Amino acid sequence: MNGRFWARYAWTGASEPGGLESGVLIDVSGGRIVSLQAGSAPPGDAVVLDGLVIPGLANAHSHAFHRALRGATQLGGGTFWTWRETMYRVAARLTPDEYLELARAVYAEMALAGITCVGEFHYLHHAPGGVAYDDPNAMGEALIEAAAQAGIRITLLDTCYLSSGFGAPPDETQLRFSDGSAEAWAERVSGLKERDHARIGAAVHSVRAVPADQLEVVGAWAAQRNAPIHAHVSEQPAENEGCLAAYGVTPTRLLADHGLLGPRTTAVHATHLTLEDIELLGGSGTTVCMCPTTERDLADGIGPAREVQAAGSPLSLGSDSQAVIDLFEEARGMEQNERLRTRRRGHWTADALLRAATADGHASLGWPEAGTLKAGALADLVTISLDSVRTAGPLHGAETAVFAATAADVSDVVTGGRVIVRRGVHQLVPDVAGALRQALARVAS
Ligand SMILES: [Zn+2]
């Protein structure tokens, strides 16, 4: 798409702190930013973005169907493991048609929140009982189509999931997740095609779900394609205990020993780590994706985000279980978790937190050309309104975005030069709440 946009303010500080400019004319050609010129008056032929413009947000870890659990799992206490039983009841029901409808609405909700790229950690592959659909990638294709209909980019992180715990076969629900072997997983995933808005990556669900002797097959598939590879790592102490009992090492050490860590890899959660785990993740340049709103919702604990970053890991952020879809909340949640843990403030600058939500998140999803406001980058522009009750008052650049704004303050969203959200209204899914209501009712019926 070609076009011309004028931003009242633009955060161009992805590489330098505090980079805030005003009156920025942004020319776009072929979906990419050609030039940015500050200090301009709005020309008549430009789309006016009347607020603080930041790059598109990357939601680096999502399970779209978990949206069906929002507000429905808060009674009766329990743990991560009892929550998972409820989640499995939803997983047991979805068809490809229902999943397309639900994911389209969820991704439209993400677009309204300024998310222009989602990393969908996708493991619901097969029909009930584990029977392959006529198109064995019918569920993945539904997610790719849903992203297209919602106007956002997607990295489909197709997930290998073979076992229930260490050495146990999949249970009845998990049969839908399993291809039987990593080789069969690789064969199926090789049938997925990339598109302008969609890239394909790999995922190891966890060391619980992929036996150690299968890990290298997944790693090799991703390495051949230079594709991202993600894994849930040490979200729960029980996973660490099971891994130590089965293999005598931590999950991080197991992944390292099988060649799975490195700059294309993202460890999701990384909540319960040893000092050696932190050195392995940081030293290999593995990204760590924190999901603070989910981690607090599921009583996981607080991961050592500060320590892994100091050891060398970039950080990204994800909405994971969709308890909340608000990347600003994830960014400030990471900082505020550290404040509660250490009783000190200021572990990251607002610029650094916004970089995790934009450039570093996109890099972890295999879109290094997105997430910054500079010439050559994909023209993904998110406008934060500055006249809401939350944001009114003096503008403090990234601090306003991370510590004052919420997803509800996003007014306009552009992906690849195309206007997806205008003045709070999704241009492709005009009634997102209605679409969610309808899709969720269908899943529940
Ligand atoms: Zn997850």
Side-chain angles (χ1 to χ4, degrees):
M1 298 284 283
N2 302 332
R4 177 168 256 206
F5 300 87
W6 181 85
R8 186 167 297 281
Y9 301 98
W11 178 71
T12 53
S15 54
E16 46 187 279
L20 185 68
E21 296 181 283
S22 58
V24 181
L25 188 60
I26 304 168
D27 274 312
V28 173
S29 177
R32 290 183 184 250
I33 297 171
V34 177
S35 63
L36 297 109
Q37 191 187 336
S40 312
D45 62 346
V47 176
V48 172
L49 302 173
D50 195 4
L52 169 61
V53 173
I54 63 171
L57 299 165
N59 184 1
H61 187 69
S62 157
H63 309 282
F65 76 89
H66 292 192
R67 175 64 177 80
L69 303 173
R70 185 186 297 171
T73 61
Q74 302 297 332
L75 289 174
T79 64
F80 169 89
W81 305 102
T82 52
W83 168 88
R84 194 180 72 159
E85 288 167 23
T86 316
M87 185 266 280
Y88 276 10
R89 282 200 286 279
V90 178
R93 308 176 54 98
L94 279 171
T95 65
D97 280 354
E98 288 171 356
Y99 208 5
L100 170 58
E101 186 182 357
L102 177 58
R104 168 181 177 266
V106 174
Y107 294 161
E109 181 183 350
M110 290 184 191
L112 290 177
I115 291 162
T116 52
C117 186
V118 61
E120 180 67 30
F121 197 107
H122 166 56
Y123 52 82
L124 188 53
H125 303 305
H126 304 296
V131 181
Y133 289 107
D134 289 345
D135 172 359
N137 286 308
M139 292 297 250
E141 290 289 350
L143 292 162
I144 290 171
E145 176 60 21
Q149 291 187 16
I152 68 172
R153 305 179 200 285
I154 184 171
T155 297
L156 188 75
L157 298 160
D158 195 295
T159 304
C160 186
Y161 194 121
L162 305 171
S163 63
S164 174
F166 296 88
D171 70 18
E172 196 183 337
T173 304
Q174 293 163 346
L175 284 173
R176 296 197 69 177
F177 312 162
S178 177
D179 292 292
S181 69
E183 286 79 11
W185 167 85
E187 190 182 330
R188 178 180 55 73
V189 180
S190 297
L192 286 161
K193 299 277 176 286
E194 302 208 331
R195 275 143 260 195
D196 281 352
H197 80 293
R199 291 184 180 163
I200 312 299
V204 165
H205 178 276
S206 58
V207 295
R208 286 178 277 126
V210 181
D213 62 3
Q214 308 272 298
L215 289 170
E216 288 175 18
V217 176
V218 184
W221 184 94
Q224 275 167 15
R225 290 158 180 79
N226 202 27
I229 180 164
H230 288 217
H232 291 125
V233 176
S234 295
E235 182 176 5
Q236 290 286 324
E239 176 179 298
N240 292 353
E241 290 154 18
C243 193
L244 283 164
Y247 303 116
V249 293
T250 64
T252 298
R253 177 87 247 176
L254 191 71
L255 294 173
D257 287 349
H258 289 274
L260 262 65
L261 301 187
R264 279 184 297 100
T265 302
T266 295
V268 181
H269 303 304
T271 311
H272 302 283
L273 300 184
T274 65
L275 288 176
E276 189 201 17
D277 293 340
I278 291 169
E279 288 304 317
L280 286 169
L281 291 169
S284 61
T286 299
T287 296
V288 170
C289 179
M290 306 302 286
C291 308
T293 68
T294 292
E295 288 147 6
R296 71 192 187 208
D297 187 66
L298 296 181
D300 287 340
I302 300 170
R306 198 72 201 86
E307 287 88 340
V308 290
Q309 192 179 43
S313 288
L315 298 172
S316 61
L317 296 161
S319 68
D320 190 8
S321 69
Q322 329 296 2
V324 175
I325 294 178
D326 185 338
L327 265 283
F328 305 126
E329 175 67 25
E330 303 295 345
R332 72 175 161 265
M334 185 165 71
E335 163 70 23
Q336 290 174 341
N337 277 350
E338 284 295 309
R339 293 183 185 184
L340 286 170
R341 194 164 70 97
T342 62
R343 290 183 285 159
R344 278 185 37 244
R345 309 176 81 228
H347 299 274
W348 290 277
T349 63
D351 294 282
L353 292 166
L354 202 48
R355 195 154 55 237
T358 54
D360 290 348
H362 277 99
S364 82
L365 295 176
W367 297 86
E369 70 274 54
T372 55
L373 296 183
K374 64 180 184 193
L378 289 170
D380 299 346
L381 314 173
V382 170
T383 306
I384 299 168
S385 166
L386 297 175
D387 55 11
S388 82
V389 291
R390 290 165 295 275
T391 58
L395 175 60
H396 297 291
E399 267 191 52
T400 296
V402 174
F403 290 101
T406 70
D409 298 311
V410 170
S411 58
D412 302 275
V413 179
V414 175
T415 54
R418 178 186 186 198
V419 178
I420 301 303
V421 177
R422 186 65 174 150
R423 298 189 182 92
V425 177
H426 201 295
Q427 302 299 290
L428 309 174
V429 186
D431 177 12
V432 177
L436 282 163
R437 192 182 310 118
Q438 200 171 328
L440 293 168
R442 208 171 151 198
V443 170
S445 67

